[in-house]
Amino acid sequence: VTFVLVFSCDSPSSSSSQKEKQTKLLDENSMITEEQMDKLGITNSEYLSAASKRALNWPDIGNEWFIEFSGPTPLKGDLAYEKGVVRRDPSAMIKENGKYYVWYSKSTGKTDGFGGDIENDKVFPWDRCDIWYATSEDGVTWKEEGLAVPRGKKGAYDDRSVFTVEIMKWADKYYLCYQTVKSPYNVRVKNQIGLAWADSPDGPWTKSKEPILSPADNGIWKGEEQNRFLVEKKGDFDSHKVHDPCIIPYKGKFYLYYKGEQMGEEITFGGRQIRHGVAIADNPLGPYIKSPYNPISNSGHEICVWKYNGGIASLITTDGPEKNTIQWSPDGINFEIMASIKDASHAIGLNRSADNEREPTEILRWGLTHIYNNYDEQSIMRFTSKRRTSHVAKGEKAK
Ligand code: AAL
């Protein structure tokens, strides 16, 4: 429902206070009801603030998607904090052989940044990573099982780092999709997405010879300086980076959700220009064709998507004007805000063994996340979340 408001301006000289008084609702269909006024706490329908006008346009949704996160709390066993080690960006967990499995980026050593010898330094905590995996019976105490997917040989598209991995199980096969970077890792480097597959979650993994997704090539850098903010033309939302891939089998196809970073990224009123896109394939191995509807979000950071009620839900965190929302789309493309939340966990590894359809956010009841112990060390942690339907003080009864 769109509320159309008319300001009848009798003469160009009408004062703004007169105009406010003349605010009227256009037609019966968009009349404000007593009930709406009462629910939204609007004092006088003839004096609608900009905020009240926006509130009147809010969709009529309940609190079914509204949740609060708790944690993060440390994991035990091999995934507890380890000195000098980066373990980050956990994949979703799948339950196989009576155990949870998780894959993640692992590297060691301090992070040097971009100021030094790029060829030999470690520019980011996620530089010089390989993909490792661990298992757990209870999701709290983990055993690191070993290396799953290593970086490629010198000259390969993934020779510098393989990281930020996701798992998909489909037709008794396992697929890992992940970010790849080729050396040298300078600030203008474009990364890609790789894929590996196996008949068992314990591998061995076969890597795709070519990347399955690359950034759009329609941006133009300005000059030769290694500066990602200098552009002649920015290009598509994913002209610089394709990050955080996650493949969901959906409607007989494979939807690869990813985060895009744009050449010449700016800080806007919502923060960094980070958006999500989707590329769709008929086969898990690809080819993945980017949707012409991209970008499909105007905000977000790490991809966190799950199936619910015939559609796809998405947790949008960190960047952009719609950060800290949970969104849902009936078709995997057209997302609407279902809840505005606070303090969501980052880089979530969802529990894919959860009963998704039990309620919209069932899959978020617990899962994995990561924290920065410091810029050189990161560890995987655990979060929980719960629905929140009332706000009561100690000793007070909910309705
Ligand atoms: C994360 C993710 C990607 C980025 C870096 C490692 O939060 O968005 O994985 O490349 O940071």
Side-chain angles (χ1 to χ4, degrees), residues 88-89 126 163-164 179 185 243-244 259 261 301-302 347 370 372:
R88 56 172 294 144
D89 290 298
W126 50 88
F163 56 116
T164 313
Q179 293 180 206
Y185 199 155
H243 277 174
D244 299 273
K259 166 188 132 198
E261 291 189 4
H301 204 91
E302 296 96 353
H370 68 207
Y372 280 68

Side-chain angles (χ1 to χ4, degrees), residues 292-313:
Y293 288 98
N294 285 348
I296 54 162
S297 83
N298 55 40
S299 302
H301 204 91
E302 296 96 353
I303 295 289
C304 177
V305 285
W306 65 96
K307 283 201 258 195
Y308 176 71
N309 194 22
I312 302 284

